[in-house]
Amino acid sequence: MTSLDLLGKFLQFATGLLVFAIVVALILFLLDRGAKAERTSLQLGLFLGPALALLGIGLIYPAIRTSFLAFTDRAGEFNGWDNFVWMFTQDQALITLLNTFVWIFLVPIISTTIGLVYAVLIDKSRGEKYFKMLVFMPMAISFVGAGIIWRFMYAYRSANYEQYGLVNQIIVSLGGEPQQILQSWPGNTLALIVVMIWIQTGFAMTVLSAAIKGVPAEQLEAAELDGASAYQRFLQVTIPGIRSSLVVVVTTIMIATLKIFDVVRTMTAGNFNTSVVANEMYTQAFRAGEPGRGAALALILFVMVTPIVVYNVRVLMKQRQIR
Amino acid sequence: MSQQTAATPSGPERISQLAAKTTRVKTKLSTRIATAAALVIATVWTIPTFGLFVSSFRERELIESSGWWTLFQNPGFTLGNYQEVLLSGSSSAPQLGEYFVNSLFIAIPATLFPLVLAAMAAYAFAWIKFKGSSALFVMVFALQIVPLQLALIPLLQLTVSFLHPLMGAIGDAVPIIPDQQYLPVWIAHTIFALPLAIFLLHNFIAEIPGEVIEAARVDGAGHAQIFMKIVLPLALPALASIAIFQFLWVWNDLLVALVFSSGTADTAPLTQRLAELAGSRGQNWARLTAGAFVSLVVPLIVFFSLQRYFVRGLLAGSAKG
């Protein structure tokens, strides 16, 4: 890196910030000018306009275009349902769909369960803060970083050599043969899922831990007086008390899992039957020159999230009515 | 309870004290088991990162001939991996230094831009009355869950047809700036961050007491002044936590970078370079471990120093979602 390169980069950075600052200053300056009658619409335009324009150009229009693109072939000609037929008939594509279902089934359930158990275990313990920090830390790590960390964990050497991957070392010391963990299906998909669980558990734990602290102490005490064991209190008082948080955690993790891309890409690049819809979408659209197939996969992804969207919008509308 | 214990215990209180004592013994025992179980989970969760960290300081031959847990039988520390990964002059080396700068110059604007725009929009939704406000707000919320993937292809086409000519012109006018610029990545990140940021900030800004804003209005303050002098300072905790989130998200992103950056040292962030290394030199653990740790340093610093706000933002988002 020469200092000239660095200067060029810095210049872009500074100019970008400066231009943005000028635009915002201009908006704020213009905001309270203008005739009183037109003021509200002008203000709305200035305050909401930039965000809505960006959303329109960058999300709504592209989403609609993608939906049409899903019905075209690589030359851009209309080809009906071909892309979807391809998706549901090719062995490879079917495995991709199957894997995705396994991902969105296992990751939310397991990470929420472990997160919940952990939150209960450390609740009010000494050093709770540090316990939380350790499990939460993977949240700050990039999926690429996590992918490398876990590839190192799964590293393989044949049985004649000393292992340097921890997982294989454990297998060997238990008397097993070292495994090429990332190369045989379906074990490899499970091995990748472990990585996502590792990342998401901290999120579940943090939210659920806060929810547990919100359960009224009187309810727990009342249950205790009634002779409920700790386990019963947990099932019959704590769990109902944190139900809404549980739903939020599960849906959030589910959405994150559906869109998972980086973990698969860094660890196996989708080889050995590990691909998932989000990864396959990228491969088809940007690597294989099949934007139609990519778009179709993106559309499937959207269909999979739609029930979750509808559910969340409903909850939101209910909340706004209460307000 | 605690106020009463000072008085001499009479009949029923004495019983309840005894009961409390036995529960305390019981809880102490179960606390110990719980702590042990928690310790096991915490250890399992920390070991992978720890192993990477230790390995990044070991000599190449050692990493690839013995496990990092045999550290004490096979000692040997070096900073060589970091030196090679960050600064090495040869073109085949990772030269992460350049990409590190890219990550920083991408992440800071891509955090500030959406935050400011979202704050303005959130203010309009919360404090300017207009027809269709609710419907529009729900729509913005729903956009949050549209998968990125659905927007990528057309947005890239738009970028190529509108932004690339502009970038070419900038590059011609100021020769120091290469034709490949950060602009598309900034814009893409800004767009993708808006729905969630607007939603979270709205929740916060709408909670500001109406009297405060009314009082300012009576004093003759316009929307710009109210926004700058009242809303922004009061929303600072929310702004901080969303900023941390967005920064980490952008820093850690791979998908947007792959699609919208040039993929060269001009603009590509660390994650992209690392993913490339992991793919092409998948077994060079000396480079990979040190490289991965370089990419982790900034998020981990942000995480450990600002953890309080980070968690608060997480809870604000989930409790109201």
Side-chain angles (χ1 to χ4, degrees):
Chain A
M1 176 171 45
T2 67
S3 47
L4 213 61
D5 285 343
L6 194 62
L7 186 67
K9 286 177 182 184
F10 183 76
L11 216 58
Q12 281 182 59
F13 171 72
T15 316
L17 289 180
L18 190 71
V19 169
F20 183 74
I22 291 172
V23 170
V24 171
L26 212 64
I27 288 177
L28 289 173
F29 177 75
L30 288 176
L31 199 64
D32 291 320
R33 322 256 138 185
K36 248 205 166 132
E38 307 151 14
R39 219 179 245 180
T40 316
S41 54
L42 177 79
Q43 285 165 339
L44 273 179
L46 286 171
F47 253 34
L48 269 181
L52 290 185
L54 281 174
L55 287 177
I57 296 170
L59 275 178
I60 299 173
Y61 159 77
I64 295 169
R65 277 251 9 215
T66 304
S67 311
F68 286 113
L69 211 59
F71 298 93
T72 60
D73 62 12
R74 55 190 305 161
E77 307 281 334
F78 178 77
N79 68 350
W81 294 94
D82 282 9
N83 295 324
F84 295 91
V85 171
W86 163 82
M87 196 186 310
F88 291 106
T89 52
Q90 293 285 311
D91 283 350
Q92 202 58 47
L94 280 176
I95 287 182
T96 301
L97 285 176
L98 177 64
N99 284 343
T100 307
F101 279 113
V102 176
W103 274 81
I104 57 174
F105 181 71
L106 289 184
V107 175
I109 290 182
I110 299 180
S111 33
T112 308
T113 310
I114 300 179
L116 178 62
V117 169
Y118 190 72
V120 173
L121 289 178
I122 62 169
D123 194 38
K124 291 177 197 134
S125 77
R126 238 186 307 153
E128 181 177 352
K129 198 177 135 204
Y130 299 99
F131 271 124
K132 276 188 178 169
M133 222 185 243
L134 289 177
V135 170
F136 193 53
M137 193 176 66
M139 280 286 292
I141 296 175
S142 68
F143 289 133
V144 177
I148 293 177
I149 288 176
W150 280 90
R151 256 178 61 176
F152 193 55
M153 290 285 287
Y154 293 143
Y156 162 85
R157 286 178 104 204
S158 66
N160 308 328
Y161 296 94
E162 210 182 319
Q163 298 295 322
Y164 57 83
L166 185 59
V167 175
N168 268 320
Q169 172 67 40
I170 293 171
I171 292 176
V172 168
S173 50
L174 292 177
E177 282 279 304
Q179 302 291 318
Q180 305 242 31
I181 297 168
L182 291 176
Q183 295 189 7
S184 57
W185 192 81
N188 51 8
T189 285
L190 295 179
L192 298 188
I193 286 175
V194 165
V195 181
M196 190 62 173
I197 292 172
W198 180 70
I199 296 170
Q200 296 292 338
T201 299
F203 166 76
M205 178 268 297
T206 310
V207 175
L208 295 177
S209 164
I212 289 171
K213 291 188 194 308
V215 175
E218 302 89 58
Q219 281 184 22
L220 287 166
E221 274 165 23
E224 197 178 349
L225 284 180
D226 289 346
S229 70
Y231 182 63
Q232 284 170 328
R233 283 196 308 260
F234 174 69
L235 275 190
Q236 284 158 18
V237 182
T238 309
I239 293 274
I242 61 172
R243 180 167 291 144
S244 66
S245 297
L246 273 174
V247 170
V248 170
V249 167
V250 170
T251 53
T252 311
I253 297 181
M254 208 178 257
I255 292 171
T257 308
L258 255 180
K259 300 181 194 167
I260 188 72
F261 157 84
D262 334 39
V263 169
V264 175
R265 187 140 197 95
T266 325
M267 294 188 69
T268 61
N271 295 321
F272 314 112
N273 290 332
T274 53
S275 199
V276 291
V277 171
N279 181 63
E280 199 57 26
M281 182 270 159
Y282 177 81
T283 311
Q284 292 295 336
F286 299 102
R287 287 284 171 267
E290 293 275 6
R293 287 181 180 176
L297 285 160
L299 207 58
I300 287 294
L301 212 54
F302 179 67
V303 171
M304 286 179 178
V305 240
T306 300
I308 313 176
V309 183
V310 172
Y311 177 78
N312 279 284
V313 166
R314 273 198 174 160
V315 171
L316 177 71
M317 282 165 113
K318 235 185 243 162
Q319 275 181 0
R320 276 178 78 87
Q321 271 164 10
I322 292 167
R323 243 179 225 157
Chain B
M1 270 289 282
S2 55
Q3 290 155 345
Q4 288 171 6
T5 41
T8 342
S10 60
E13 269 174 38
R14 174 124 189 91
I15 293 173
S16 80
Q17 268 185 359
L18 276 176
K21 208 171 190 182
T22 47
T23 352
R24 221 175 294 142
V25 172
K26 234 195 264 168
T27 36
K28 218 176 219 171
L29 195 71
S30 60
T31 310
R32 217 167 278 160
I33 298 170
T35 309
L39 260 177
V40 171
I41 297 180
T43 312
V44 170
W45 250 249
T46 316
I47 277 181
T49 318
F50 182 72
L52 180 93
F53 180 64
V54 170
S55 299
S56 68
F57 290 105
R58 300 183 80 210
E59 278 153 27
R60 185 169 174 176
E61 293 74 35
L62 284 175
I63 299 182
E64 285 165 18
S65 64
S66 64
W68 54 265
W69 52 90
T70 63
L71 181 68
F72 294 108
Q73 292 99 295
N74 304 298
F77 277 100
T78 173
L79 288 173
N81 301 334
Y82 284 93
Q83 198 187 352
E84 191 203 340
V85 148
L86 276 173
L87 306 168
S88 166
S90 87
S91 57
S92 65
Q95 295 179 311
L96 290 183
E98 265 179 281
Y99 296 88
F100 190 90
V101 172
N102 289 341
S103 275
L104 211 57
F105 283 174
I106 287 173
I108 293 172
T111 302
L112 284 175
F113 296 170
L115 206 62
V116 174
L117 294 181
M120 297 195 319
Y123 174 78
F125 276 125
W127 294 107
I128 304 180
K129 283 203 181 93
F130 63 98
K131 233 193 231 163
S133 162
S134 277
L136 206 56
F137 183 71
V138 168
M139 194 194 75
V140 170
F141 173 76
L143 279 180
Q144 182 192 152
I145 319 173
V146 170
L148 269 191
Q149 280 86 351
L150 205 57
L152 291 180
I153 306 172
L155 192 57
L156 182 66
Q157 287 167 349
L158 283 180
T159 307
V160 170
S161 42
F162 293 105
L163 285 183
H164 283 197
L166 174 71
M167 283 155 56
I170 295 175
D172 289 343
V174 191
I176 260 187
I177 297 179
D179 279 352
Q180 299 296 339
Q181 294 153 23
Y182 300 129
L183 195 58
V185 191
W186 287 342
I187 294 180
H189 276 305
T190 303
I191 290 170
F192 296 141
L194 279 175
L196 182 65
I198 293 176
F199 173 68
L200 293 179
L201 278 174
H202 170 272
N203 285 346
F204 205 89
I205 290 175
E207 304 271 296
I208 293 173
E211 304 92 62
V212 179
I213 293 188
E214 261 328 298
R217 227 173 254 162
V218 171
D219 287 347
H223 279 302
Q225 277 173 312
I226 296 178
F227 177 70
M228 290 290 286
K229 297 205 173 125
I230 297 177
V231 171
L232 282 190
L234 284 178
L236 212 56
L239 286 169
S241 71
I242 297 169
I244 298 166
F245 254 117
Q246 174 66 5
F247 181 87
L248 288 181
W249 194 77
V250 174
W251 185 278
N252 288 337
D253 155 80
L254 176 65
L255 183 57
V256 174
L258 275 176
V259 177
F260 292 98
S261 95
S262 63
T264 65
D266 281 342
T267 56
L270 265 177
T271 45
Q272 194 173 347
R273 182 65 179 148
L274 264 183
E276 220 172 274
L277 286 178
S280 59
R281 295 169 209 278
Q283 298 306 318
N284 188 341
W285 290 113
R287 277 180 182 171
L288 275 180
T289 52
F293 214 80
V294 168
S295 82
L296 300 189
V297 167
V298 171
L300 286 185
I301 291 174
V302 169
F303 168 74
F304 280 116
S305 54
L306 303 173
Q307 197 207 13
R308 219 155 34 98
Y309 301 97
F310 185 34
V311 170
R312 201 188 289 164
L314 201 67
L315 296 179
S318 65
K320 298 198 171 159

